[in-house]
Amino acid sequence: MEPRPPNKRTGVNDTLLYYEHRKKKKCSCLGICCIICCTAIIILALVAVLLVFVGIPVVFKKSPSLQRKIVFPTNNLLPSNPEFSNFEKYDIKGARNINFTLEYIVSLSLGVWHLLPHGLVNNSLDTQNFDHSASLMQGGYPVIIHFHSNGGNRIKFIKMYNVLRTYFHVIAFDYRGYADSSSVEPTEEGIVEDTLRLYQWVRYQTNADIYFWGHELGAAIATHTIARLHEGEDYVVPMGLFLEAPFTSMRDQINEIPFFRKLFSWLPWYQSTILNPLDENGFSLNTARYITNVECPIMIVHAEDDAVTPSSFSEKLAKVAAEHLDSETKGNVTLHLLPAHFGYGHFSIHKSLELPFFIMKHITVCEAYRYI
Ligand SMILES: *[C@@H]1O[C@H](CO)[C@@H](O)[C@H](O)[C@H]1NC(C)=O
Ligand SMILES: *[C@@H]1O[C@H](CO)[C@@H](O)[C@H](O)[C@H]1NC(C)=O
Ligand SMILES: *[C@@H]1O[C@H](CO)[C@@H](O)[C@H](O)[C@H]1NC(C)=O
């Protein structure tokens, strides 16, 4: 029986008894509350863990469009408010903007810049109606096609073009889906179809030697394009290939993104939900595979302090390429690792004082292999 609340007549013992009982009752109430709360929290935590560690990988696996957004981020490209024909804005002289139109399956156009070599700029400024295409055709300078990395439009890489313009006519362009190029969904295959045609167009514009320069994702596209040219009937081989901060494959590169590696790489389903879908949905960008089909001299340059793409990728690429490239007749591979203390990172290799020397040397190597 429950003790009654005490009143004036309740003895000391009964009063104590009463309060003792109330305390016990309160405690058991608290206990139940506590258990319910804890269970709820545990369930919520479990749901959250499931959402993060199962939900995100499954959504990623099931959504090629999400994968595309990560591999080819085409929204809000930097620099913003681009004006591709307003060269003054970017302090560029001796350049033209070209709307390169492709007619196959779909009608598609790419935004392309043609930047004259520094040595022709004064001439172009002094001459009224200077003919850029004639100067490209004359072939006094070789031509380099620049394949940019994934997070930017072609304006972002002007500093590298300025280094290249010492030696080359520079052709810089935006991939489909990027900047002022047609807003067609980018895929690796689609982009390579475009770059094959861009190469053919440049080939018709000049008799000069044509080199490829690829930065990061651009290195994968450039290498893939060469592999495809090589497969083609006319067996075209460009003069030389330059790879700046390349990755070995998109799998390896995604694995370097801290969000994926730190959060998910321990999961047994990491491979099947995060990495494999990239290959399954046409985002393999497997530079290490394509490079085995390159038959021209290759120069790779990578900063050791690159926090986006580790320089070990370049070491691996150089090794794979050297195994396949016949250095007696086709070309050799040169790897330049730039020491970390220079601080060039992923985007500032153009600052390297040695870079012009490396480029010059590579041109000499490529020219030497031409006659073998
Ligand atoms: C072009 O002209 C500028 C100014 O007249 C001069 O400083 C520069 O050296 C010239 N460049 C070349 C490559 O001749
Ligand atoms: C390029 O040309 C195509 C076809 O003439 C046109 O549809 C497109 O808008 C042009 N692009 C630019 C950026 O002017
Ligand atoms: C590649 O060949 C050139 C010229 O034959 C040579 O100078 C260079 O050292 C070679 N590079 C490598 C890595 O063997």
Side-chain angles (χ1 to χ4, degrees):
M1 209 181 91
E2 288 196 19
R4 290 178 170 203
N7 54 37
K8 281 183 188 154
R9 274 161 293 160
T10 318
V12 175
N13 273 351
D14 284 345
T15 309
L16 281 178
L17 206 68
Y18 172 78
Y19 283 111
E20 190 82 348
H21 183 82
R22 244 179 65 162
K23 212 166 137 195
K24 266 192 196 149
K25 205 169 148 189
K26 218 170 160 184
C27 273
S28 69
C29 243
L30 260 180
I32 291 171
C33 278
C34 201
I35 289 173
I36 292 177
C37 275
C38 288
T39 316
I41 288 174
I42 289 173
I43 290 176
L44 277 178
L46 271 178
V47 169
V49 164
L50 275 179
L51 272 181
V52 171
F53 294 112
V54 179
I56 293 180
V58 167
V59 167
F60 186 84
K61 178 184 164 70
K62 294 284 177 198
S63 172
S65 70
L66 180 60
Q67 295 158 26
R68 178 173 297 114
K69 283 204 178 76
I70 291 172
V71 175
F72 300 112
T74 51
N75 292 333
N76 308 319
L77 292 172
L78 293 173
S80 46
N81 304 321
E83 294 177 57
F84 295 103
S85 298
N86 184 0
F87 289 106
E88 276 178 17
K89 179 171 173 180
Y90 305 107
D91 201 17
I92 294 178
K93 294 193 171 69
R96 59 174 167 151
N97 188 38
I98 303 169
N99 181 0
F100 173 63
T101 314
L102 297 153
E103 293 290 345
Y104 66 99
I105 312 176
V106 285
S107 165
L108 200 142
S109 62
L110 301 182
V112 179
W113 273 357
H114 168 205
L115 312 177
L116 294 175
H118 291 310
L120 298 180
V121 171
N122 282 356
N123 189 8
S124 82
L125 297 178
D126 296 344
T127 315
Q128 265 201 341
N129 303 325
F130 180 83
D131 189 343
H132 286 76
S133 36
S135 95
L136 190 57
M137 185 56 92
Q138 275 154 14
Y141 286 83
V143 180
I144 196 158
I145 304 179
H146 183 278
F147 297 68
H148 68 59
S149 63
N150 70 351
N153 56 46
R154 64 187 181 278
I155 295 170
K156 190 174 173 186
F157 308 93
I158 289 174
K159 288 178 177 153
M160 186 54 92
Y161 310 153
N162 278 337
V163 176
L164 299 176
R165 290 177 79 184
T166 306
Y167 314 98
F168 303 100
H169 286 273
V170 176
I171 301 290
F173 69 101
D174 270 295
Y175 308 117
R176 58 165 73 185
Y178 280 72
D180 56 342
S181 295
S182 297
S183 59
V184 176
E185 270 191 354
T187 59
E188 180 178 4
E189 280 304 317
I191 289 175
V192 171
E193 287 300 325
D194 301 343
T195 54
L196 285 167
R197 285 164 177 81
L198 181 68
Y199 171 82
Q200 276 153 10
W201 176 78
V202 175
R203 186 68 285 169
Y204 284 122
Q205 302 299 308
T206 180
N207 296 317
D209 297 328
I210 300 175
Y211 292 80
F212 283 14
W213 182 288
H215 180 203
E216 187 220 69
L217 173 122
I221 303 281
T223 314
H224 194 169
T225 306
I226 295 181
R228 285 285 303 278
L229 284 170
H230 184 186
E231 277 170 16
E233 285 164 20
D234 25 354
Y235 196 75
V236 180
V237 179
M239 268 301 271
L241 173 62
F242 295 86
L243 302 179
E244 175 192 2
F247 53 68
T248 38
S249 68
M250 190 41 81
R251 291 175 77 93
D252 295 346
Q253 181 61 40
I254 289 281
N255 198 29
E256 289 302 319
I257 300 177
F259 173 76
F260 288 110
R261 199 189 43 215
K262 295 210 172 116
L263 222 50
F264 300 112
S265 63
W266 57 277
L267 293 170
W269 50 87
Y270 179 60
Q271 299 258 341
S272 63
T273 55
I274 305 278
L275 300 184
N276 295 351
L278 296 166
D279 292 330
E280 289 154 9
N281 295 317
F283 305 113
S284 58
L285 292 147
N286 196 327
T287 321
R289 178 148 48 82
Y290 314 137
I291 209 168
T292 62
N293 274 323
V294 173
E295 294 198 345
C296 62
I298 303 169
M299 183 191 109
I300 307 178
V301 59
H302 211 134
E304 283 182 334
D305 60 328
D306 190 325
V308 178
T309 302
S311 57
S312 60
F313 285 175
S314 275
E315 293 177 89
K316 186 174 166 202
L317 284 175
K319 193 160 167 278
V320 174
E323 278 163 15
H324 285 83
L325 201 53
D326 179 356
S327 63
E328 293 283 304
T329 58
K330 298 290 175 23
N332 62 12
V333 187
T334 314
L335 172 63
H336 298 293
L337 294 179
L338 308 178
H341 66 83
F342 288 122
Y344 298 139
H346 192 59
F347 286 109
S348 299
I349 284 180
H350 60 83
K351 286 186 189 159
S352 162
L353 296 178
E354 284 178 300
L355 185 62
F357 169 74
F358 295 154
I359 294 173
M360 238 161 24
K361 179 129 192 275
H362 191 57
I363 295 174
T364 316
V365 169
C366 294
E367 287 176 346
Y369 274 102
R370 184 215 313 263
Y371 300 111
I372 297 178

